[in-house]
């Protein structure tokens, strides 16, 4: 289980990182909003713990970007201000839960565990479907409009990722780390080439296009009507 903690207060950040690591989580700590924003947009976490008051990019702004990108990772808000307005704003922006500082560590741990449980209730599917596209995860078989598509292993993984995160804009760096298991910020050409090949197989012969390029951001799979 991978957690991201975005917290500018050194003591609180260290305390959360240490405690959550000892509880068995893999914890990445971002000490400012800019780093936090970068991590949430380019990596995958099971839960994100977000401080509201950050000197550069606020927790709200980060949450807003995340939800705008259609990313539904559970977010636990840390708010120093005991104001109902703040809490309402956070929840309206799509936070899943919040804690008022100062908080007991046991409380953080309980909330994180609840969010993880809530997030993992989806049954394990063996078939993914979007419009007339059907992916059999077990047999690694892809059909579109009843027609069998032959994909390479990488193409299959790429398509599976796009379908699982349907409607979400996936940055090239995220695709790189998920499909190629590597970090490359510079050589994104590999991804563009793979997408082009995948598109030829998945979209070229069909009137409804599923794979879309989002200029300057990445790719997404969506039925646009
Ligand atoms: Ca703060």
């Amino acid at each position: 289980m991978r957690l991201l903690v975005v917290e500018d207060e050194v003591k609180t950040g260290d305390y959360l990182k240490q405690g959550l690591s000892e509880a068995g989580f893999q914890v990445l700590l971002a000490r400012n909003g800019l780093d936090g924003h970068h991590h949430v947009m380019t990596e995958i976490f099971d839960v994100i713990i977000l401080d509201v008051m950050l000197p550069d990019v606020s927790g709200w702004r980060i949450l807003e970007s995340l939800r705008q990108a259609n990313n539904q990772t559970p977010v636990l808000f840390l708010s120093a201000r005991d104001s109902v307005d703040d809490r309402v704003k956070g929840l309206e922006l799509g936070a899943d839960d919040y804690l008022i500082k100062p908080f007991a560590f046991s409380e953080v741990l309980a909330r994180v565990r609840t969010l993880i449980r809530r997030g993992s209730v989806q049954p394990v599917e063996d078939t993914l479907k979007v419009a007339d596209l059907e992916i059999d995860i077990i047999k690694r078989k892809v059909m579109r409009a009843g027609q069998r598509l032959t994909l390479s292993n990488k193409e299959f993984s790429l398509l599976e990722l796009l379908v699982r995160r349907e409607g979400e804009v996936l940055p090239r760096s995220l695709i790189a780390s998920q499909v190629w298991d590597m970090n490359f910020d510079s050589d994104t050409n590999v991804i563009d080439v793979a997408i082009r090949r995948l598109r030829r197989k998945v979209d070229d012969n069909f009137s409804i296009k599923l794979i879309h390029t989002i200029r300057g951001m990445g790719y997404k799979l969506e039925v646009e009507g």
Side-chain angles (χ1 to χ4, degrees), residues 85-104:
D85 283 353
D86 280 1
R87 272 177 271 159
V88 170
K89 182 171 178 181
L91 295 173
E92 269 176 5
L93 285 176
D96 299 271
D97 205 350
Y98 62 87
L99 271 178
I100 303 295
K101 290 178 179 177
F103 45 77

Side-chain angles (χ1 to χ4, degrees), residues 145-158:
Q147 215 174 303
R148 174 83 186 260
L149 308 179
T150 312
L151 304 186
S152 71
N153 273 332
K154 286 289 177 215
E155 287 162 358
F156 184 90
S157 306
L158 181 58

Side-chain angles (χ1 to χ4, degrees), residues 120-183:
S120 60
V121 287
Q122 298 107 326
V124 186
E125 327 108 295
D126 50 12
T127 309
L128 302 172
K129 277 183 203 163
V130 177
D132 57 359
L133 178 74
E134 213 170 295
I135 303 179
D136 186 324
I137 301 296
I138 314 285
K139 295 184 187 144
R140 292 179 78 82
K141 205 171 94 180
V142 181
M143 307 283 285
R144 181 144 191 208
Q147 215 174 303
R148 174 83 186 260
L149 308 179
T150 312
L151 304 186
S152 71
N153 273 332
K154 286 289 177 215
E155 287 162 358
F156 184 90
S157 306
L158 181 58
L159 183 64
E160 184 185 348
L161 173 69
L162 286 163
V163 168
R164 283 195 187 279
R165 311 275 296 254
E166 183 191 347
E168 200 176 314
V169 180
L170 304 180
R172 289 179 176 79
S173 53
L174 183 143
I175 296 173
S177 65
Q178 295 295 304
V179 178
W180 279 267
D181 199 22
M182 57 204 308
N183 279 313

